[in-house]
Amino acid sequence: MPRIHILRATAALSLVAAALAGCASTGGAPAGVMASNGMLTGPNGMTLYTFDKDAAGSGKSVCNGPSATNWPPLMAGSAAASGDYSVVTRDDGAKQLAYKGKPLYYWIKDSKPGDKTGDGFNGVWRVAAP
């Protein structure tokens, strides 16, 4: 293999390692949920939020109906409770992931990973922090 290709491959691996160092799975996190730059992100890399009106540990989300269109829940899929993560049942019977008892949501106006435009929205939405 020519030397230039080895150098490019080494540089590419270094970039991947640096990217992974900035993202770490949180203890007991379901597949794809990560802690990155002081916030939780979903499997798609988008910022996750909590809603102040959700009572921690209630096992319930109060963000339903049209509100859930703007604040899509992080659905649990086949994930089970583990560590700081639990699964809550929504009004429609669907399963949603929660962190430390608070259901997790995305914000429809975030357009790319790293956006956190929903933080502080209406004084009741917060970036989920590990």
Side-chain angles (χ1 to χ4, degrees):
M1 178 180 276
R3 182 177 168 92
I4 191 76
H5 292 295
I6 293 171
L7 291 174
R8 285 185 184 156
T10 302
L13 287 173
S14 294
L15 288 173
V16 169
L20 290 174
C23 296
S25 177
T26 58
V33 176
M34 304 290 281
S36 178
N37 298 319
M39 61 187 175
L40 294 179
T41 59
N44 60 0
M46 300 299 284
T47 303
L48 292 170
Y49 297 88
T50 58
F51 185 39
D52 287 351
K53 294 182 180 183
D54 285 334
S58 71
K60 183 167 174 43
S61 164
V62 297
C63 178
N64 291 288
S67 180
T69 301
N70 292 324
W71 297 95
L74 174 60
M75 304 311 292
S78 62
S82 176
D84 287 331
Y85 292 87
S86 58
V87 177
V88 299
T89 302
R90 299 182 51 74
D91 284 356
D92 62 4
K95 303 296 184 186
Q96 179 179 1
L97 278 176
Y99 180 70
K100 293 188 177 180
K102 298 284 281 187
L104 296 170
Y105 306 86
Y106 295 106
W107 170 228
I108 197 167
K109 293 189 179 182
D110 283 349
S111 60
K112 65 186 180 311
D115 283 356
K116 49 185 174 180
T117 63
D119 193 27
F121 187 81
N122 282 347
V124 293
W125 289 95
R126 313 275 175 234
V127 167

